[in-house]
């Protein structure tokens, strides 16, 4: 019993976090108790708004001032009472005893300082090492997190690195002083499956090397199955279930946990729909996009982001394009929508060649193809009401304003939002609701083709499931063709009739989803399937697919 107590790095007991102006009201976090132990990973899982991130911010002492405050309970880090610590002491504890990896490294890293200097700032603040010793230590840590060409990356700015490399920099920064507790807040949500697998494997390996306790926050039960020793399930600020990984996955006691598990997308493709003789509404022929970068010395470097991409999409069908970051899938989507101009090849939209049209001549055809972006908060104008946002496109094409607003109300009902949402603003909605607004905006133009570019990748699995079902329902009602871009083969399995697999700008494999996802011919496709988190678990039936889970 004593040994177990000695292994407790983080001990939270009866924690309550409330709004500072309403201390007497129900808290944002209500009576949470949990423990993270040396060398173990505790996963805190739940939907957006469950209180996962607020719990982690309370531990780090980073709750927003004049907004949220710890009103009751205790937080002990390696035996020290965090609530009693001064601001100065909290700054000392951060990085030395506890550290945090944030969800989006691009917003956590300073864009105008090379990443090596940003890691160096941690050492300059908390150690007395000289510049040479600090540099050697940083390069060693960068190698430990498996970054290539560490000398070059040391002097690189964040925008010059891939998403996976930026996340490795965040991990290196967090672990450079070997803290006892590592808090990882959704560190793999926006990453493709192979990079996600590498990051999860990296965290596990570093944990073994350093004996770090890990508090891992996620909404993805597939990720939980890959990395957790213990699991805590939260809902609306309360702890609803906790226990060892296998117990929670195999024998969940709460209905909420069972529902959460049931929404995890499966790699098993949905039943194939009958072949259709519907007309082709979108096709590309040898589509290519080359980016040219000029160097300081006058040279030109060419990068082929997409090459010889040929595809076709029928009315009422869904074609998925899958691949890692940098595979060219989003470039193809943006070329098709003509947000960027293709370098070569053809694009036919409802029988009309549009690849060579000028911006003016392209305008009448834009209404036929609409795009749903990954982040609806960034793609919706925060200054426009939802009604004005949905009506803007039709009004620009000549629809009377009154008629456009009437149509907006109809579309809100179609995407399962209340019609009174028409007078509200985007910030007043959840992420899933904002994505429904973005879908309604796209449908307002009565398009023949919808292009969804990672439209569900940043959503909770339960909200993701709702949006996928919504898109499926809309397609069944309206007969719209859907081009679906994703890095998650589990999502592709649930919605796509056909799948294209891309790597380094080239199509490596394509065919019916059932065939590609169950009997892939190419090693790269098999690699993507093997990297899918939770592939060894049948979550809906609460049992492992194989007995290899340790």
């Amino acid at each position: 019993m004593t040994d177990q107590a000695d292994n407790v790095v983080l001990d939270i007991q009866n924690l309550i976090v409330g709004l500072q102006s309403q201390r007497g009201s129900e808290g944002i976090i209500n009576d949470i108790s949990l423990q993270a132990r040396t060398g173990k990973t505790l996963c805190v899982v739940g939907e957006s708004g469950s209180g996962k991130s607020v719990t982690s911010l309370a531990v780090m002492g980073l709750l927003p001032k004049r907004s949220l405050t710890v009103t009751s309970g205790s937080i002990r880090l390696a035996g020290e009472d965090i609530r009693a610590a001064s601001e100065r002491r909290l700054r000392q504890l951060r990085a030395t005893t506890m550290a945090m990896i944030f969800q989006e490294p691009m917003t956590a890293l300073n864009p105008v300082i090379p990443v090596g200097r940003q890691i160096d700032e941690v050492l300059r603040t908390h150690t007395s090492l000289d510049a040479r010793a600090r540099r050697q230590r940083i390069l060693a840590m960068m190698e430990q997190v498996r970054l290539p060409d560490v000398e070059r990356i040391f002097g690189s700015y964040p925008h010059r690195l891939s998403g996976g490399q930026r996340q490795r920099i965040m991990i290196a920064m967090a672990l450079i002083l070997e803290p006892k507790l590592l808090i990882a807040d959704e560190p793999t949500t926006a990453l493709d499956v192979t990079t996600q697998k590498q990051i999860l494997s990296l965290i596990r390996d570093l944990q073994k090397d350093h004996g770090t306790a890990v508090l891992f926050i996620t909404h993805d039960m597939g990720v939980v199955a890959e990395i957790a020793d213990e699991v805590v399930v939260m809902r609306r600020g309360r702890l609803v279930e906790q226990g060892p990984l296998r117990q929670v996955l195999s024998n969940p006691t709460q209905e909420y946990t069972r529902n959460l598990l049931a929404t995890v997308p499966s790699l098993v493709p949905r039943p194939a729909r009958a072949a259709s003789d519907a007309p082709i509404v979108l096709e590309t022929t040898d589509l290519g996009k080359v980016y040219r970068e000029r160097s300081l010395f006058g040279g030109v470097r060419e990068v082929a982001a997409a090459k010889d991409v040929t595809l076709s999409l029928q009315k009422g069908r869904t074609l998925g394009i899958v691949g890692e970051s940098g595979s060219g899938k989003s470039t193809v989507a943006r070329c098709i929508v003509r947000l960027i101009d293709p370098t070569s090849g053809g694009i036919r939209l409802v029988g009309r060649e549009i690849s060579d049209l000028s911006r003016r001549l392209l305008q009448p055809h834009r209404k036929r193809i609409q795009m749903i972006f990954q982040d609806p908060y960034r793609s919706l104008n925060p200054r426009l009401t939802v009604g004005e946002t949905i009506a803007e496109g039709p009004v620009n094409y000549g629809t009377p304003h009154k008629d456009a607003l009437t149509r907006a109300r109809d579309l809100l009902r179609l995407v399962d939002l209340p019609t009174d949402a028409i007078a509200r603003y985007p910030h007043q909605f959840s992420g899933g609701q904002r994505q429904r607004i973005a879908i309604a905006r796209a449908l307002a133009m009565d398009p023949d083709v919808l292009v969804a570019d990672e439209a569900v990748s940043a959503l909770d699995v339960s909200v993701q499931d709702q949006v996928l079902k919504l898109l499926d329902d809309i397609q069944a009602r309206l007969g719209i063709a859907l081009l679906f871009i994703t890095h998650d083969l589990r999502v592709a399995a649930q919605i796509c009739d056909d799948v294209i697999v891309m790597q380094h700008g080239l199509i490596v494999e394509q065919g019916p989803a059932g065939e590609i996802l169950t009997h892939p011919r190419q090693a790269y496709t098999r690699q993507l399937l093997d990297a899918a988190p939770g592939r060894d678990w049948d979550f809906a039936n609460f049992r492992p697919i194989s007995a290899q889970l340790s």
Side-chain angles (χ1 to χ4, degrees):
M1 227 21 213
T2 306
D3 289 343
Q4 209 173 22
D6 290 342
N7 287 336
V8 174
V9 176
L10 174 66
D11 188 6
I12 298 176
Q13 295 297 324
N14 308 115
L15 179 68
I16 297 177
V17 176
L19 295 170
Q20 207 167 43
S21 60
Q22 301 174 11
R23 294 194 177 194
S25 66
E26 184 179 21
I28 303 299
I29 300 294
N30 291 286
D31 200 26
I32 293 295
S33 297
L34 55 84
Q35 293 181 324
R37 292 181 167 82
T38 301
K40 300 291 184 182
T41 298
L42 173 66
C43 274
V44 181
V45 63
E47 299 169 286
S48 294
S50 63
K52 311 184 300 293
S53 294
V54 173
T55 302
S56 68
L57 292 175
V59 173
M60 293 290 292
L62 294 174
L63 288 173
K65 298 287 190 291
R66 298 182 297 277
S67 178
L68 296 176
T69 185
V70 176
T71 60
S72 181
S74 65
I75 306 171
R76 302 192 74 83
L77 177 67
E80 182 172 349
D81 185 358
I82 292 293
R83 289 192 65 193
S86 64
E87 280 295 326
R88 182 180 179 185
R89 178 57 180 156
L90 281 172
R91 285 194 295 271
Q92 291 173 342
L93 290 172
R94 294 177 196 133
T96 59
T97 308
M98 60 180 174
M100 191 166 183
I101 308 168
F102 295 93
Q103 177 175 346
E104 178 45 67
M106 198 59 183
T107 57
L109 293 170
N110 191 323
V112 298
I113 299 177
V115 294
R117 280 178 52 198
Q118 295 189 53
I119 302 174
D120 185 52
E121 184 179 355
V122 178
L123 293 178
R124 282 189 285 112
T125 302
H126 295 285
T127 73
S128 57
L129 296 173
D130 61 31
R132 182 178 179 183
R134 293 198 308 269
R135 183 182 178 90
Q136 289 175 342
R137 189 162 176 177
I138 292 167
L139 293 176
M141 177 53 74
M142 289 170 73
E143 287 178 348
Q144 199 172 353
V145 298
R146 301 172 198 157
L147 282 165
D149 194 3
V150 293
E151 290 281 357
R152 177 186 64 82
I153 288 182
F154 183 94
S156 297
Y157 292 90
H159 73 274
R160 290 285 186 182
L161 306 179
S162 69
Q165 288 174 333
R166 287 194 291 265
Q167 199 59 283
R168 289 166 196 268
I169 290 295
M170 289 296 298
I171 294 171
M173 190 182 300
L175 293 177
I176 193 73
L177 294 177
E178 299 188 13
K180 294 180 179 180
L181 174 69
L182 175 66
I183 300 174
D185 187 5
E186 302 273 14
T188 62
T189 295
L191 303 178
D192 60 59
V193 286
T194 49
T195 305
Q196 183 181 70
K197 183 180 180 181
Q198 292 166 6
I199 295 296
L200 293 177
S201 175
L202 173 62
I203 290 174
R204 271 198 308 268
D205 292 346
L206 292 171
Q207 182 182 45
K208 290 175 184 175
D209 293 341
H210 300 278
T212 312
V214 175
L215 184 68
F216 196 100
I217 294 167
T218 182
H219 63 254
D220 190 339
M221 294 301 282
V223 171
V224 171
E226 295 292 319
I227 199 168
D229 295 297
E230 300 274 332
V231 181
V232 166
V233 181
M234 291 183 66
R235 183 190 188 196
R236 296 176 184 171
R238 296 185 181 275
L239 192 154
V240 297
E241 187 156 0
Q242 63 179 318
L245 172 65
R246 182 175 283 274
Q247 175 187 310
V248 173
L249 295 189
S250 299
N251 189 29
T253 60
Q254 301 298 313
E255 184 67 21
Y256 177 72
T257 309
R258 290 194 287 271
N259 291 339
L260 206 59
L261 288 167
T263 58
V264 178
S266 168
L267 270 173
V268 178
R270 72 177 186 182
R273 295 194 285 191
S276 170
D277 59 357
I280 293 174
V281 291
L282 174 68
E283 55 187 331
T284 69
T285 306
D286 298 327
L287 183 68
K289 176 63 180 178
V290 176
Y291 290 101
R292 294 178 173 86
E293 296 181 350
R294 292 190 177 276
S295 71
L296 293 173
F297 305 103
V300 177
R301 175 173 171 261
E302 293 191 345
V303 178
K307 185 178 180 182
D308 300 332
V309 174
T310 298
L311 59 83
S312 64
L313 175 59
Q314 290 176 292
K315 179 181 174 66
R317 304 278 287 183
T318 299
L319 172 64
I321 304 181
V322 302
E324 299 169 286
S325 297
S327 62
K329 55 189 189 299
S330 290
T331 296
V332 169
R334 289 169 183 268
C335 283
I336 287 172
V337 182
R338 288 294 310 274
L339 291 178
I340 57 176
D341 295 327
T343 307
S344 59
I347 305 167
R348 293 184 69 82
L349 178 63
V350 197
R352 178 70 163 90
E353 179 63 45
I354 65 167
S355 62
D356 56 352
L357 293 180
S358 66
R359 297 290 172 184
R360 183 178 63 81
L361 295 176
L362 183 64
Q363 193 65 23
H365 302 280
R366 284 201 180 278
K367 58 163 45 175
R368 290 181 171 273
I369 185 165
Q370 293 292 302
M371 197 162 188
I372 307 166
F373 296 92
Q374 177 175 348
D375 185 352
Y377 196 66
R378 291 171 62 188
S379 66
L380 297 174
N381 189 331
R383 297 184 178 183
L384 294 184
T385 64
V386 167
E388 294 297 334
T389 293
I390 297 172
E392 184 180 23
V395 168
N396 288 341
Y397 276 84
T399 302
H401 187 265
K402 183 178 178 181
D403 294 346
L405 284 178
T406 300
R407 170 71 169 150
R409 289 188 180 88
D410 293 338
L411 287 168
L412 285 172
R413 282 191 287 267
L414 182 67
V415 299
D416 294 327
L417 286 174
T419 53
D420 63 5
I422 201 165
R424 291 152 64 188
Y425 291 87
H427 73 271
Q428 296 175 291
F429 296 87
S430 68
Q433 289 172 324
R434 285 196 290 264
Q435 199 59 289
R436 289 170 185 267
I437 294 167
I439 292 170
R441 178 181 63 178
L443 293 174
M445 302 301 293
D446 292 320
D448 296 283
V449 180
L450 274 182
V451 179
D453 188 7
E454 299 282 11
V456 298
S457 66
L459 303 178
D460 296 336
V461 285
S462 54
V463 179
Q464 185 181 83
D465 182 59
Q466 294 166 13
V467 173
L468 291 176
K469 287 176 178 174
L470 173 64
L471 288 171
D472 206 35
D473 181 55
I474 288 171
Q475 187 177 58
R477 291 197 217 178
L478 305 180
I480 290 176
L482 181 61
L483 184 65
F484 196 88
I485 314 298
T486 182
H487 64 252
D488 192 339
L489 271 71
R490 301 175 304 170
V491 170
Q494 302 311 303
I495 196 169
C496 297
D497 298 295
D498 301 283
V499 169
I500 288 173
V501 182
M502 290 191 67
Q503 183 186 28
H504 303 320
L506 295 168
I507 293 176
V508 297
E509 189 164 4
Q510 63 180 307
E515 179 183 318
I516 298 295
L517 299 178
T518 55
H519 299 98
R521 297 185 298 274
Q522 300 299 319
Y524 176 68
T525 309
R526 290 193 292 272
Q527 178 186 334
L528 289 179
L529 288 166
D530 289 342
R535 62 201 169 279
D536 293 329
W537 271 90
D538 178 0
F539 293 98
N541 294 302
F542 317 126
R543 63 189 182 198
I545 294 172
S546 69
Q548 296 175 355
L549 187 69
S550 56

